[in-house]
Amino acid sequence: MFNPSQADVRRFFCGVYRKQIGAEPMQAIETLAGQWIAEHPAYHPELADEASALERVGEAQTASDNPFLHLSMHLSISEQCSIDQPPGIRQAVELLAARRGDLHAAHHEVMECLGRMLWESQRAGRPPDGEAYIEQVRQRATKD
């Protein structure tokens, strides 16, 4: 299983941004990452300065303060939906996106559910509960 370091993740997103700016060819995962980068123009200055981004590895930041974590979560959710893993996540995200009328806004809500699932898993020392995660997304998709 691939387990990138914080520096690897920062290099990846900075590299994708550099390729976007230069209109260079990209691999499929880079194209997907580039779509999320385009949705976050406020992150472009940080993505444009890889050296500075690498200097900040290890700094305590929340997802809202850390463009690399935020973009990684968008990418993770997109990948989860593309392979429907955990089973049912694709439908739950589609329902939420339809309810909100905006996939980007739906992703931000799903991030909260994903973050909670990971936090609870780490706190309890057990594997992530995919069913609870999907249920949280479904609840957001169906409540008024």
Side-chain angles (χ1 to χ4, degrees), residues 55-120:
E55 287 175 9
R56 295 184 63 200
V57 166
E59 286 183 11
Q61 294 177 298
T62 64
S64 61
D65 296 334
N66 184 336
F68 304 99
L69 176 57
H70 187 86
L71 292 169
S72 292
M73 291 182 82
H74 272 301
L75 197 54
S76 294
I77 294 164
S78 295
E79 286 295 296
Q80 288 172 359
C81 290
S82 76
I83 62 171
D84 198 30
Q85 184 60 37
I89 192 63
R90 178 186 303 136
Q91 181 186 38
V93 172
E94 287 173 354
L95 286 170
L96 182 58
R99 176 84 176 205
R100 300 296 179 254
D102 181 4
L103 179 62
H104 190 187
H107 261 233
H108 286 183
E109 289 191 56
V110 175
M111 281 181 198
E112 292 177 28
C113 301
L114 178 59
R116 169 171 273 194
M117 176 192 64
L118 294 172
W119 179 79
E120 288 175 354

Side-chain angles (χ1 to χ4, degrees), residues 11-85:
R11 281 186 200 98
F12 171 77
F13 283 110
C14 290
V16 169
Y17 183 68
R18 189 172 43 255
K19 286 181 178 183
Q20 274 186 315
I21 298 301
E24 297 175 32
M26 290 190 266
Q27 296 176 0
I29 192 73
E30 292 172 323
T31 300
L32 181 57
Q35 291 169 349
W36 288 115
I37 288 170
E39 291 283 331
H40 296 84
Y43 295 164
H44 295 178
E46 192 159 354
L47 295 168
D49 189 351
E50 185 174 319
S52 176
L54 291 172
E55 287 175 9
R56 295 184 63 200
V57 166
E59 286 183 11
Q61 294 177 298
T62 64
S64 61
D65 296 334
N66 184 336
F68 304 99
L69 176 57
H70 187 86
L71 292 169
S72 292
M73 291 182 82
H74 272 301
L75 197 54
S76 294
I77 294 164
S78 295
E79 286 295 296
Q80 288 172 359
C81 290
S82 76
I83 62 171
D84 198 30
Q85 184 60 37

